[in-house]
Amino acid sequence: MSLLTVGTVAFDTLYTPHGDAEMVVGGSSQYSSYAASYFTDDINLVSIIGDDFPQSELDDLQSRGVSLDGLKTVAGGKSFFWAGRYLDNMNDRVTITTDLNVLADFDPVLPDSYKQSKYILLGNLTPDIQISVINQLTEKPKLVVLDTMNFWIDNTYDKLIEAIKLCDVLTINDEEARMLSGEHSLVLAAAKIFELGPKYLIIKKGEHGCLLFDRNSVFFAPALPLEKVVDPTGAGDCFAGGFLGYIAKTEDTSFENMKRAIIYGSALASFVVEDFSNYRVKSLTEQEIKDRVQQFVDLTHFQL
Ligand code: AMP
């Protein structure tokens, strides 16, 4: 079933305690598309780039079933650029630069072939664009997932609240949940966030896993303890892409199936952090994903 993902396709510069990478390929919809492509080959990407973006990267996305009909290229323009530095714990990061570049004036026009997409991932980018994408759909989608980050909470709060009203599942990290709700306890934060509209909430806690809430219950998925974390960038996006990709594949939006989906999302996130940029998440095998999901099962399985 068709999955539409809107977000950034970008260049990143990353500083980590163990090494740096300059001007590597990144962007929220780039990462989520790769993650989702392990579950469906019917992916509609919506984004914008300048003509500085490598054609070989676009060819790689297309070869994985990602339609680029909704990817606008601006002649003479520069792609979105983000630079960040990870702290010693390799979990927390500070943004050094966010250059919106071509994203600043992006007003997406959905190709007709995208307008009946069933599973929508409103990836991390300006809430105006997230809202515009939803308004252009001609059929009610089965599930809308919205991902965002502190940058948009700080800079476009009112629009973000409007966008959140339109989603079924909100995914944010723990600090952002606290910022958005004004509550320190994540349980109280969840209750406040539900008042904004979503039916489900996923709170990501980096290397400590994530929590899936509906109004009555909560489920916890751990993150895999990894020997090697090279670069956490894209973990949230691969999580969201893997989560929604699994739901699109199984066509089941129940809370029980979302529990499985967050394990698949967590598995995809655990791969991307093993190397810079998309190097690892581009070339996984089905068996590697299966084995990793089994590691999650083993990690939490116990008998009473
Ligand atoms: P994640 O680590 O999953 O939060 O995603 C990091 C990716 O998001 C990077 O590849 C960046 O290019 C992109 N990114 C960083 N800041 C923003 C922003 N404010 N809006 C959209 N995408 C962003």
Side-chain angles (χ1 to χ4, degrees):
M1 275 277 188
S2 52
L3 185 156
L4 181 152
T5 178
V6 54
T8 45
V9 173
F11 289 116
D12 294 340
T13 288
L14 312 154
Y15 303 100
T16 84
H18 313 295
D20 307 332
E22 278 188 29
M23 292 294 282
V24 291
V25 166
S28 52
S29 62
Q30 183 268 147
Y31 279 120
S32 62
S33 291
Y34 273 116
S37 73
Y38 290 97
F39 305 97
T40 169
D41 58 4
D42 190 0
I43 299 174
N44 297 327
L45 184 144
V46 180
S47 193
I48 189 164
I49 48 175
D51 55 11
D52 52 355
F53 203 79
Q55 182 61 41
S56 59
E57 290 289 340
L58 302 180
D59 295 343
D60 288 350
L61 278 167
Q62 271 178 316
S63 74
R64 301 208 48 101
V66 180
S67 162
L68 301 183
D69 293 350
L71 177 68
K72 187 173 172 189
T73 305
V74 180
K78 283 173 82 177
S79 302
F80 179 89
F81 172 72
W82 176 77
R85 178 184 303 281
Y86 288 89
L87 308 188
D88 285 343
N89 63 15
M90 285 298 272
N91 206 17
D92 300 319
R93 68 182 177 204
V94 286
T95 290
I96 299 170
T97 311
T98 301
D99 287 337
L100 298 179
N101 297 328
V102 291
L103 186 69
D105 300 315
F106 185 37
D107 189 8
V109 178
L110 290 199
D112 285 342
S113 57
Y114 282 25
K115 288 184 177 167
Q116 294 173 358
S117 300
K118 291 288 167 255
Y119 297 93
I120 314 295
L121 177 52
L122 302 175
N124 181 20
L125 88 175
T126 145
D128 270 323
I129 296 174
Q130 295 175 321
I131 294 168
S132 161
V133 165
I134 290 292
N135 288 340
Q136 291 178 59
L137 298 172
T138 52
E139 270 185 27
K140 190 174 162 31
K142 290 190 189 294
L143 200 74
V144 178
V145 177
L146 185 143
D147 190 27
T148 191
M149 73 185 284
N150 51 2
F151 184 84
W152 304 112
I153 303 176
D154 283 337
N155 294 304
T156 55
Y157 180 83
D158 290 342
K159 274 285 165 195
L160 180 61
I161 298 296
E162 254 182 67
I164 289 174
K165 274 201 183 75
L166 302 174
C167 80
D168 302 299
V169 184
L170 175 66
T171 78
I172 46 177
N173 75 26
D174 44 359
E175 280 321 306
E176 291 152 1
R178 291 183 173 114
M179 267 171 85
L180 196 59
S181 64
E183 295 286 352
H184 186 79
S185 147
L186 294 180
V187 175
L188 294 180
K192 278 249 172 101
I193 289 170
F194 281 136
E195 286 171 18
L196 302 175
K199 296 183 208 62
Y200 305 96
L201 171 67
I202 298 173
I203 300 185
K204 299 170 283 183
K205 291 156 63 71
E207 62 171 338
H208 304 299
C210 68
L211 296 162
L212 166 69
F213 292 86
D214 71 3
R215 283 165 203 253
N216 305 312
S217 31
V218 57
F219 175 73
F220 171 69
L224 210 60
L226 292 171
E227 246 171 67
K228 178 174 102 164
V229 174
V230 171
D231 168 23
T233 309
D237 309 312
C238 286
F239 172 85
F243 170 81
L244 195 57
Y246 181 79
I247 288 186
K249 178 183 171 178
T250 51
E251 295 188 53
D252 176 352
T253 58
S254 67
F255 189 71
E256 277 312 304
N257 198 47
M258 282 189 191
K259 292 181 184 175
R260 284 185 282 276
I262 70 171
I263 298 295
Y264 277 89
S266 303
L268 265 297
S270 76
F271 284 116
V272 73
V273 305
E274 289 179 341
D275 207 341
F276 283 109
S277 184
N278 56 20
Y279 307 152
R280 187 77 177 102
V281 82
K282 254 184 176 183
S283 57
L284 299 170
T285 63
E286 300 236 325
Q287 192 59 45
E288 280 177 311
I289 295 175
K290 208 171 155 205
D291 290 347
R292 190 127 316 174
V293 166
Q294 187 59 45
Q295 281 181 272
F296 277 86
V297 174
D298 296 343
L299 186 65
T300 49
H301 182 79
F302 69 99
Q303 282 181 328
L304 273 185

